[in-house]
Amino acid sequence: MSNPESRRKFDQLGADWRTGAQSRQPPGQTGGQSAGRGTRGEKDEFQFEGTGFSDFFEQFFGGRASRSRGGSPFDAQEFANSHGEPEVERGQDIQGDILITLDEVLKGAMRAISVRRTNARTGREETETYQVRIPKGVQAGQTIRVSGKGGEGLNGGGAGDIYLRVRYAQHPDWQVRGADLMGHLELAPWEAVLGATVPVKTLEGSISVKVPAGFQQGHKLRVQGKGLPAGAGKRGDLYVEASIQVPFRISKEDELLWKQLAKQSPFNPRKPS
């Protein structure tokens, strides 16, 4: 090793001198500890509150992605540049699910989300609360980004982000099909036979819906523009499927009337064709 510069590096760095600064620890790092972080491979833990999921621990993604230098992957925590300065690293992104009500989908909302963070290095817990905007018309599966509220950066790097995947909360009356809402409409037998105007409860209050005479079990009524936001100022539709309800108990007087109707009515579903 006749080159004086090579000898100097060997004396400083030992047998790994050819790998240069990759084998050196950043300032403030000793015994495998990274400044402001836990040991190699450790990450802070996060838990959300206010998302609609209790005790739901979030998973990490996108944080501390492996980088490549000269074709060899390495951990950025161990990397320092040729001047001996620690590598700037962006903080971890964290993700989880958030449960959104149909009312929030219809109108938009602000939601308070608390993030409880357990520091991998110190073991301390911290809780921070953020106001998250739920945009009007947000769809299931879309992601709401909360910028700069993820894991802390390393050596001056920016903080990561929070990504919340939208899930719709189950509604007691309505199922979602795109921007349309699907529900049920209970009808008395005479309402289905004679027709009627009946109330239907929507997300915005009760409306009157006209049922045509002779309406059949399982048939659907469509109410335009009473579904969820569909973009460009449009709304989906509301559909109600008829369910004809038969009285479980009837009085003696009602029984006589039903029998009289059965004798006089020409309708007989079992009559041979």
Side-chain angles (χ1 to χ4, degrees), residues 85 106 112-113 124 138 142 159 165-166 185 245 255 261 267:
E85 298 174 354
L106 181 64
I113 302 297
R124 292 186 304 178
V138 66
Q142 286 186 331
R165 292 173 304 232
V166 172
L185 177 62
Q245 301 298 301
E255 183 179 359
L261 177 62
F267 176 73

Side-chain angles (χ1 to χ4, degrees), residues 173-174 183-187 197-211 221 223 226 238-241:
D173 300 322
W174 302 106
H184 293 275
L185 177 62
E186 295 183 351
L187 295 176
T197 299
V198 299
V200 172
K201 187 177 180 181
T202 73
L203 295 177
E204 300 166 288
S206 183
I207 61 173
S208 295
V209 174
K210 186 176 180 180
V211 178
L221 284 172
V223 183
K226 290 297 182 180
L238 182 149
Y239 293 85
V240 287
E241 182 177 328

Side-chain angles (χ1 to χ4, degrees), residues 48 51 53 56-59 61 94-98 143-144 162-166:
F48 288 169
T51 61
F53 297 92
F56 186 83
F57 288 88
E58 308 307 318
Q59 296 178 340
F61 81 110
I94 57 177
Q95 71 173 356
D97 293 343
I98 183 169
T143 300
I144 298 173
I162 295 175
Y163 292 88
L164 299 172
R165 292 173 304 232
V166 172

Side-chain angles (χ1 to χ4, degrees), residues 7 28 38 52 57 77 91 100 118 126 147 181 207 220 227 238:
R7 162 57 65 182
F57 288 88
Q77 292 183 29
I100 304 298
T118 302
E126 302 173 351
S147 180
L181 296 176
I207 61 173
K220 294 183 177 67
L238 182 149

